[in-house]
Amino acid sequence: MPEPRLALRGVKKSFGDVEVLHGIDLAVNPGEMVCLIGASGSGKSTLLRCMNGLEPVDDGEVRLDGVDIAEPGFDLAPIRQKIGIVFQSFNLFPHMTAYNNVALAPRRVLAEDARTRIEALFERFGLGAHMSKYPDQLSGGQQQRVAVIRALAMRPQTMLFDEITSALDPELVGEVLDVLRSLRDDGMTMVLATHEMGFARELADRICFMDKGVIAEEGAPDVIFSNPQKERTKQFLASVLR
Amino acid sequence: MTTRRAAYEARQRRRATLLAGGSTAVVLVLLIVLVPLAPGWDGVKSSFFNAEIFARTFPDLANAFLINIAIFAWSVPLIAALGLAIALARGARAPVLFPLRIFGAIYVDLFRGIPVVLLVYLVGFGIPGLGLPRPWNSPYIWGTVALVLTYSAYVAEVLRSGIESIHESQRNAAVCLGLSERDTMRYVVLPQAIRRVVPANMNMLVALQKDVALLSFIGPVEILRQAGIFKSLLANFTPYVAAAVIFLCVTVPATRYADYLMNRDRNART
């Protein structure tokens, strides 16, 4: 059994008086792709944001390559290079070209002029012609692909995706999912919060169904989608797969 | 081809133009006919709108206005630098920087709370009164300092509002890429914040341009003081009107430009 890339134990998180994560246990192995599914408000996004320290957890452990990054006071800056995140709303920097959006962090954090590498990433994801455009000159799907490239340019070993197709027009979802497919083929360790059930079923190694701040059921995609054990899972799937 | 809607709107536009033209004409006629009927009109005309005096004093006033422009020109970079420094000081979060934060807050309260003209008097007369050697007793220097103190406090607040208007998700994205707080501010937040407050700061510049005239109270012979000298010399108020015209030549285009920027910004965000 290899050491998990990411191991969560008893993770709890409250916003004010509302506890949104009630003690999450989850291990993600290197090269594994885990999909978090569940209704809005079930805690998927919060869980992802706890995995890279964007939200400090209240209790429990988040081990990245064996190091507990949830230790209060832990310096997260070096960790952020190992774990990339892409958000639902892209969050590109609107005053910079697509290329500069991507090049900023490698230049400032890695002190590296990664031009060749970055250009190769743009080419790979079909954006070679758009590097000098500003975000508002790009479609939603293109912006989201730039956001993925921006995270990849830091050479992370793990990628988190927070409902990255949810803000897109339906016809643009495919081009972004293709990017994920391609990363999957590279063997990237990935955790996704997603509403794309077909995609999750096709590509995920494991599905975690979240409900009211706990992982209510987890297992292989075929098991979860064809033969869910828990009543709540059945209800959720029945409502989204209609 | 004209659609029904387009034809209707064209009719409405013609109607609006006619009404606007008609009402403007009526107001103009009333002004031209009624104002000269006022009992004191001849006196006002000769002491405020004397064409000969206007022509005679205009060149010297325009020349004195160059001093206003010079004072304005060297104030602006100082105001920008100090305003930015104060805005950043007020936003400092580290506990060690708490004194800076307090200093920023006091600075803004103090210099935004004192009328500019009062500060010009206090700084412009008070500090040279310390008996400083030349050129450090110059009213040009200390008058400018007074303007810089006041306006940097305003600009700091404008910038701070700009910084706070940048959505948290921008900071999050930067931090998640591993950028330091400092780099996040410098490369992600500030460039967007400054762009966002350009229109507001344009209005500041227009106000500053006018307030330079306050330095006339402490010495420099800029346009307002020059107009005052002519007034005493010629016993006529026309030089003040000429000075007002010169100010308008600068402030009207500048204000229009600020409005244009503000509108463009509003349209871009909706």
Side-chain angles (χ1 to χ4, degrees), chain B residues 61 222-233 236 239-240:
Chain B
L61 288 171
E222 47 69 72
I223 186 166
L224 183 57
R225 195 169 179 91
Q226 183 65 57
I229 292 169
F230 278 134
K231 182 213 67 179
S232 310
L233 218 56
N236 193 292
Y240 282 133

Side-chain angles (χ1 to χ4, degrees), chain B residues 203-216:
Chain B
N203 283 329
M204 288 288 176
L205 291 185
V206 173
L208 172 65
Q209 176 57 54
K210 290 184 295 174
D211 278 353
V212 170
L214 295 174
L215 297 205
S216 64

Side-chain angles (χ1 to χ4, degrees), chain A residues 62-130:
Chain A
V62 178
R63 290 192 179 275
L64 183 67
D65 293 323
V67 181
D68 183 10
I69 67 167
E71 175 87 36
F74 186 86
D75 177 18
L76 289 158
I79 295 303
R80 297 259 159 74
Q81 300 158 36
K82 299 173 75 174
I83 184 160
I85 186 164
V86 182
F87 301 97
Q88 177 177 344
S89 50
F90 326 144
N91 300 355
L92 293 180
F93 307 134
H95 60 298
M96 293 181 191
T97 61
Y99 177 82
N100 283 331
N101 260 278
V102 176
L104 175 65
R107 196 170 63 235
R108 296 300 306 171
V109 182
L110 309 176
E112 177 194 341
D113 178 27
R115 179 162 273 276
T116 335
R117 206 156 55 76
I118 293 171
E119 283 175 356
L121 281 170
F122 272 95
E123 289 296 337
R124 172 176 168 191
F125 296 119
L127 291 171
H130 300 294

Side-chain angles (χ1 to χ4, degrees), chain B residues 39-83:
Chain B
W41 170 243
D42 284 334
V44 168
K45 197 175 146 192
S46 64
S47 58
F48 282 88
F49 302 103
N50 185 320
E52 187 222 341
I53 290 181
F54 189 95
R56 194 141 55 96
T57 56
F58 192 88
D60 282 338
L61 288 171
N63 213 25
F65 192 63
L66 293 179
I67 292 184
N68 291 62
I69 292 176
I71 293 173
F72 175 78
W74 68 58
S75 302
V76 169
L78 294 174
I79 290 168
L82 195 55

Side-chain angles (χ1 to χ4, degrees), chain A residues 49 52 54 80 85 91-96 104 108-109 150 154, chain B residues 169-170 172-179 183 187-188 191-192 195:
Chain A
R49 293 157 77 94
N52 76 340
L54 186 56
R80 297 259 159 74
I85 186 164
N91 300 355
L92 293 180
F93 307 134
H95 60 298
M96 293 181 191
L104 175 65
R108 296 300 306 171
V109 182
R150 182 171 71 173
M154 294 301 285
Chain B
S169 61
Q170 287 283 307
N172 283 347
V175 164
C176 285
L177 287 166
L179 288 173
D183 281 354
Y187 293 101
V188 176
Q192 297 186 61
R195 238 162 276 207

Side-chain angles (χ1 to χ4, degrees), chain A residues 40 45 86-92 138-145 147 161-177 193-196:
Chain A
S40 300
S45 286
V86 182
F87 301 97
Q88 177 177 344
S89 50
F90 326 144
N91 300 355
L92 293 180
L138 299 171
S139 74
Q142 290 168 334
Q143 289 188 54
Q144 194 57 294
R145 281 183 282 159
F161 298 94
D162 188 2
E163 295 189 24
I164 66 168
T165 58
S166 296
L168 297 177
D169 290 334
E171 74 271 22
L172 301 178
V173 169
E175 62 191 65
V176 173
L177 294 184
T194 186
H195 290 298
E196 295 294 328

